[in-house]
Amino acid sequence: MQTLTLEQETNPWEAQAARFDFAAKKLNLDQGIWKVLRQPTREIIIHIPVGMDDGSIEVFTGYRVQHSAARGPGKGGIRYSPDVSLDEVRALASWMTWKCAVVNIPFGGAKGGVICDPKKMSQGELERLTRRYTAELIEFLGPEKDVPAPDMGTDEQTMAWIMDTYSMHMRQTVNAVVTGKPVNLGGSRGRKEATGRGVSVVCDEALKQLGMSPQGTKVIVQGFGNVGSNTAKHLAEKGYTIIGIAEYDGGLFNAKGIDIAALTAHRKEAGTITGFRGAEAANSSELITQPCDILIPAAMENVITSRNADKLRCRILCEGANGPTTPIADEILGDKRVFIIPDILANAGGVTTSYFEWVQDRMGYFWTEPEVNQRLDHIMSTSFHDVIAYSKTHNVNNRIAAYMLAIDRVAYTTKQRGMYA
Ligand SMILES: NC(=O)C1=CN([C@@H]2O[C@H](COP(=O)(O)OP(=O)(O)OC[C@H]3O[C@@H](n4cnc5c(N)ncnc54)[C@H](OP(=O)(O)O)[C@@H]3O)[C@@H](O)[C@H]2O)C=CC1
Ligand SMILES: O=C(O)CCC(=O)C(=O)O
């Protein structure tokens, strides 16, 4: 892994491939299956014309990558961002395959993205973009084929538009085609908070593993979107002290702990975390290198690289975001004995509750929020211990253990089905 160039280091697809190759080698994976699982099955690129509010026409590029359907339908979010690229979506689709396998739910992996800036678009423009993106993908999506969900820049309204467009084409309401929908359209209770809740469960398990307790445990969270804000909320409710929040447009620090409920209310009103009176303003990139017990990157990829990994001063790194740490940074953090809870385990709470949503939609029978949360907590804590056990048995770090566990499960199914005949 040390031979990677800086360009490869920050390319999410190369980062995914480096971990995959390393884990596959450790598993002594059959060469043929290795080749099958190393590449996505299908990569779709579309150019989407959208009538803008000012009367002009814009053309947006979108992707849907389906990595593997060995264990079930493709599953994974759709990202709206100006920086999204095919390599990023490829990596995210592969991570979905491994993530679903780590938590042992019956899905493969897929991911979508559209190059656009949702913050600069009106609701009408976003709706037209989403509907045409869905229409272009119509034959590739479906409850038994590929089931999208929200990711950065998309939300439950986006999912409602996808569900409606798909249903119009099918001439009937098909709510199981997406998850992360509004509850009254067949969304699952608990889905909105599920990723952050799941992050908090694996933090609890890590503390037990290391002989620590939530009281007195200091946490810094990067990102205060869906994952970051809900992670902070659940950890604060459990007694952890959230001392820092690092957002794109500025950070906050309070050694005594930030009142997360008050910050959430402030952000709702002001549209930003900056200007919050209950903490000092702080530089976001410096904040993630401040001493803390747990650092939780919950914003985007490549925030921990060879350039800053040696400066981190956390005991635990819990990856709420997908791909926040590069392979070279992994090695540096390994030398520093940082306990890493890898993304494909740590943030799997979202897709796990998406699985519950898909199950409920197909049954037409909906669970209460405590029922959903209890099932989620059970899967997250069991999966944490599965990964730790794998890491001990095979004498590898937690990330490689999670990849090995996942690859082993997907390889087994691929082979058993004979998906190469
Ligand atoms: N939503 C889900 O259920 C799941 C999401 N994930 C992953 O979690 C991560 C976050 O997703 P999600 O919370 O849904 O996305 P959101 O769009 O809801 O939130 C992302 C947040 O990160 C902030 N941000 C972006 N770049 C930076 C940066 N460089 N430094 C600090 N903050 C930054 C954004 O700020 P601003 O608004 O100012 O741009 C925003 O608040 C992604 O990696 C995603 O793939 C993983 C599993 C499930
Ligand atoms: O909920 C889902 O189906 C997928 C969530 C997602 O995109 C992710 O886990 O990265």
Side-chain angles (χ1 to χ4, degrees):
M1 284 197 221
Q2 253 156 353
T3 53
L4 288 176
T5 64
L6 193 62
E7 197 188 11
Q8 285 171 323
E9 183 190 348
T10 53
N11 177 315
W13 174 245
E14 297 293 344
Q16 186 284 141
R19 273 74 171 253
F20 172 80
D21 287 343
F22 192 87
K25 196 169 172 198
K26 282 262 169 203
L27 276 171
N28 214 5
L29 189 69
D30 173 276
Q31 284 295 314
I33 301 289
W34 189 321
K35 282 188 250 170
V36 175
L37 299 183
R38 204 178 188 282
Q39 299 292 340
T41 306
R42 184 181 279 139
E43 302 179 346
I44 306 154
I45 305 178
I46 49 184
H47 300 288
I48 313 151
V50 177
M52 306 302 278
D53 289 351
D54 66 3
S56 65
I57 298 169
E58 208 45 78
V59 179
F60 296 89
T61 298
Y63 309 102
R64 185 76 185 168
V65 174
Q66 296 169 338
H67 174 258
S68 167
R71 288 169 48 91
K75 188 81 192 84
I78 298 173
R79 176 173 290 192
Y80 285 180
S81 154
D83 305 318
V84 79
S85 68
L86 184 55
D87 265 357
E88 181 175 310
V89 181
R90 273 188 189 125
L92 289 160
S94 312
W95 282 325
M96 287 309 305
T97 302
W98 312 137
K99 191 182 302 187
C100 293
V102 165
V103 289
N104 214 357
I105 58 175
F107 285 132
K111 200 87 177 195
V114 178
I115 305 172
C116 66
D117 189 346
K119 286 190 185 143
K120 294 197 178 135
M121 294 170 71
S122 69
Q123 282 296 99
E125 290 167 343
L126 285 170
E127 177 172 356
R128 292 191 287 279
L129 170 69
T130 304
R131 287 187 182 278
R132 286 205 85 85
Y133 173 78
T134 309
E136 289 296 332
L137 290 175
I138 212 78
E139 68 263 45
F140 302 106
L141 302 180
E144 311 296 338
K145 293 183 186 172
D146 182 358
V147 185
D151 191 72
M152 279 173 75
T154 56
D155 58 17
E156 55 180 33
Q157 179 60 68
T158 323
M159 297 306 114
W161 292 326
I162 295 176
M163 179 200 132
D164 185 60
T165 308
Y166 184 83
S167 298
M168 285 164 69
H169 283 260
M170 295 301 129
R171 318 296 295 164
Q172 62 184 0
T173 296
V174 186
N175 54 12
V177 67
V178 278
T179 60
K181 299 177 293 291
V183 169
N184 60 318
L185 295 185
S188 177
R189 294 181 177 86
R191 173 60 185 89
K192 214 192 272 182
E193 296 192 9
T195 310
R197 183 182 178 92
V199 171
S200 79
V201 173
V202 292
C203 285
D204 292 346
E205 296 304 323
L207 291 197
K208 285 184 216 156
Q209 194 78 21
L210 299 171
M212 298 160 70
S213 78
Q215 281 66 32
T217 292
K218 295 186 165 59
V219 183
I220 295 176
V221 182
Q222 183 193 44
F224 204 65
N226 176 296
V227 180
S229 65
N230 285 305
T231 296
K233 173 185 171 216
H234 284 278
L235 290 177
E237 283 171 2
K238 289 173 173 179
Y240 292 70
T241 309
I242 315 298
I243 60 168
I245 302 281
E247 262 276 55
Y248 210 41
D249 55 355
L252 296 172
F253 182 78
N254 183 341
K256 291 194 180 129
I258 297 169
D259 179 341
I260 298 301
L263 176 60
T264 304
H266 166 87
R267 214 213 28 188
K268 201 168 173 196
E269 206 180 302
T272 168
I273 65 164
T274 58
F276 177 62
R277 295 230 178 101
E280 293 162 29
N283 176 298
S284 276
S285 46
E286 285 169 12
L287 201 49
I288 63 169
T289 62
Q290 291 304 305
C292 62
D293 298 298
I294 311 182
L295 175 66
I296 305 181
M300 56 186 295
E301 298 100 62
N302 292 322
V303 291
I304 302 165
T305 68
S306 55
R307 279 164 279 180
N308 64 358
D310 61 330
K311 299 194 187 105
L312 261 50
R313 286 180 282 172
C314 55
R315 173 77 190 88
I316 299 168
L317 176 71
C318 182
E319 298 180 333
N322 286 307
T325 312
T326 67
I328 297 175
D330 261 353
E331 291 193 3
I332 299 168
L333 298 175
D335 291 343
K336 286 163 70 87
R337 305 191 65 75
V338 173
F339 185 94
I340 298 180
I341 314 175
D343 47 7
I344 57 172
L345 166 66
N347 68 37
V351 74
T352 301
T353 300
S354 278
Y355 164 53
F356 299 153
E357 181 169 328
W358 180 77
V359 168
Q360 292 170 82
D361 287 341
R362 285 154 41 111
M363 286 192 300
Y365 180 76
F366 292 87
W367 309 337
T368 63
E369 193 158 347
E371 281 173 317
V372 170
N373 290 340
Q374 194 189 6
R375 288 179 162 109
L376 171 64
D377 294 356
H378 175 72
I379 289 186
M380 291 307 293
S381 57
T382 306
S383 306
F384 176 90
H385 290 288
D386 287 349
V387 169
I388 297 299
Y390 220 92
S391 117
K392 288 187 177 147
T393 313
H394 296 272
N395 194 24
V396 290
N397 65 37
N398 294 346
R399 189 187 310 283
I400 296 302
Y403 271 78
M404 286 173 74
L405 174 64
I407 294 167
D408 208 9
R409 285 178 175 161
V410 181
Y412 184 84
T413 322
T414 305
K415 215 167 179 169
Q416 200 173 37
R417 287 179 57 164
M419 294 180 84
Y420 32 80

